[in-house]
Amino acid sequence: MSHNKTVLICDDSRLVHRAMQKFFDDFIGVTLYFADNGKQALDCLAVNDIDLMFLDLTMPVLDGFGVLQQLPVNNYPTKVIVLSADVQQQAIERCVDAGANYFLAKPFARPQVSATLKKLGIVFNEKEQPLSLTDHHAPNIPDGEIDYLHQFKEVANIALGKGAAIISDHCGEFITMPLPNVAMLGGGDLEMMISNQIQRTDSTAIAQRFVGGGIHGEALVCLYGQDITLFGKRLGFSTFNDKHSEVITDISNLMVSSFLVSLSEQMNIPFSIRQPICLEEYMVRGWSETANNDLFTIEYSYQSENLDMACDVLLMMENDSTRVIKRFMETL
């Protein structure tokens, strides 16, 4: 018979909090703690004896790597399962080297969590009959309060992590990736954002349309840094007659397609993308006039850890696409 256990869920996603709360609701003698970022997790660990911590990597304030670097904060033997969308091989290796006991990739299913706990020798007592979990630390998250934008941010985060893994595997570089931003933006805000990116003297802007399953959109990619050509060579892209623009469009295509491939897997929607084209400022004048309604947007960025190369990506989708996304969110 196992003793009562304490579990800390450190993740900025309310969806993960809710999923974990439902998972542990089937066990007795479990006290759950929740943290939205690494700093909150360290504060919790400092004052509580935590048996098991599920740790996300990409979080605000302090990320999972920062938490692992500061462990332990007490003498209690806390086991750590990293639960992250960043599935780069280098990310997994860094977590293990920093002391994590296991790495579990998002999205995760209940059997995967159960199998991981079994591998680590962690046993929980199952309830004989359904009972509500008595826990004053668990957040109250009614289903209606989790809107589709917040839900889709988690979907985008998973796609971002898998995309980074694809790029990292190709170039042998660790790719840093902040949390994606998912929002509805008006035409004026979009035009200002796009103009600011294109006006940067050190950047090159590329546009690329995509379509699939009733979703119609356009991607804007801005690449900047002194090592773009070197980054392209590491990815296997070579110039033809020393045309730098070919490397630019090849890199941009990879930044968009790697994300959409993962998004396609989650939504079960195949996407097709058109040939990317380099943009000039005059090409985006009047975009706000053509966008009469707010657009559904996904904004994310990738940056090479050791090379002077980074990119910002903005995906813009029309109103009909929003309805498709909402329907998909209802199935989660």
Side-chain angles (χ1 to χ4, degrees):
M1 183 70 66
S2 61
H3 62 82
N4 293 351
K5 287 185 171 59
T6 52
V7 178
L8 171 60
I9 314 298
C10 179
D11 200 300
D12 64 307
S13 169
R14 287 179 291 171
L15 292 174
V16 172
H17 287 192
R18 185 178 65 169
M20 283 300 184
Q21 186 171 342
K22 287 183 177 180
F23 176 84
F24 285 105
D25 190 45
D26 290 340
F27 303 99
I28 60 175
V30 179
T31 300
L32 293 179
Y33 295 85
F34 293 84
D36 294 324
N37 57 65
K39 183 181 183 303
Q40 291 180 5
L42 291 175
D43 292 342
C44 180
L45 290 167
V47 296
N48 298 285
D49 292 336
I50 302 297
D51 294 298
L52 174 64
M53 175 171 63
F54 288 90
L55 178 65
D56 188 21
L57 291 183
T58 308
M59 296 178 292
V61 184
L62 181 66
D63 63 19
F65 292 114
V67 173
L68 291 172
Q69 290 172 0
Q70 297 188 42
L71 293 180
V73 295
N74 59 27
N75 295 323
Y76 197 79
T78 301
K79 290 188 177 181
V80 179
I81 297 176
V82 172
L83 183 63
S84 177
D86 188 349
V87 292
Q88 298 177 73
Q89 185 59 37
Q90 291 189 40
I92 298 173
E93 293 172 356
R94 290 184 183 190
C95 290
V96 174
D97 291 342
N101 299 98
Y102 202 85
F103 188 102
L104 192 60
K106 293 181 181 179
F108 60 91
R110 182 185 180 90
Q112 291 175 299
V113 179
S114 299
T116 300
L117 295 176
K118 184 176 180 180
K119 289 178 181 178
L120 294 178
I122 302 175
V123 179
F124 292 95
N125 295 321
E126 294 189 16
K127 294 178 180 178
E128 295 182 359
Q129 57 184 358
L131 294 173
S132 60
L133 181 66
T134 302
D135 181 14
H136 299 294
H137 304 283
N140 183 19
I141 311 173
D143 289 351
E145 292 185 6
I146 302 182
D147 58 79
Y148 80 98
L149 288 176
H150 192 92
Q151 282 184 300
F152 199 82
K153 182 176 181 179
E154 182 65 19
V155 173
N157 188 39
I158 292 171
L160 186 64
K162 290 188 175 182
I166 293 172
I167 297 169
S168 178
D169 289 343
H170 276 74
C171 69
E173 284 285 327
F174 183 75
I175 305 297
T176 60
M177 36 168 269
L179 286 167
N181 184 44
V182 177
M184 297 296 296
L185 292 179
D189 293 332
L190 281 172
E191 186 174 28
M192 182 180 300
M193 180 185 300
I194 294 168
S195 295
N196 289 338
Q197 290 181 330
I198 292 179
Q199 287 173 359
R200 288 186 53 160
T201 57
D202 62 340
S203 71
T204 302
I206 304 96
Q208 187 170 23
R209 291 198 62 82
F210 59 91
V211 62
I215 294 178
H216 301 266
E218 185 155 4
L220 174 68
V221 181
C222 287
L223 296 170
Y224 49 93
Q226 300 297 318
D227 294 331
I228 292 178
T229 301
L230 176 58
F231 187 76
K233 288 181 179 179
R234 291 194 178 183
L235 289 170
F237 302 139
S238 58
T239 60
F240 180 73
N241 292 333
D242 295 327
K243 288 186 178 179
H244 182 66
S245 60
E246 292 183 358
V247 175
I248 293 289
T249 54
D250 285 340
I251 294 175
S252 173
N253 186 57
L254 179 60
M255 297 298 179
V256 174
S257 62
S258 60
F259 179 86
L260 290 178
V261 165
S262 177
L263 197 62
S264 173
E265 293 174 352
Q266 295 183 75
M267 299 183 68
N268 196 28
I269 294 176
F271 287 99
S272 60
I273 56 178
R274 295 182 181 176
Q275 184 70 19
I277 59 171
C278 292
L279 287 181
E280 300 293 342
E281 184 180 357
Y282 74 88
M283 294 181 178
V284 298
R285 293 173 184 167
W287 275 24
S288 60
E289 298 176 1
T290 58
N292 297 322
N293 300 308
D294 291 350
L295 297 182
F296 183 88
T297 64
I298 307 170
E299 185 181 7
Y300 61 91
S301 62
Y302 289 127
Q303 183 169 356
S304 173
E305 184 178 57
N306 298 313
L307 297 179
D308 181 20
M309 200 294 302
C311 79
D312 297 323
V313 182
L314 177 65
L315 303 183
M316 299 162 283
M317 286 161 272
E318 302 165 354
N319 281 336
D320 290 342
S321 305
T322 306
R323 287 192 284 270
V324 175
I325 292 170
K326 284 183 177 179
R327 289 198 300 269
F328 167 69
M329 290 295 99
E330 293 172 355
T331 65
L332 294 181

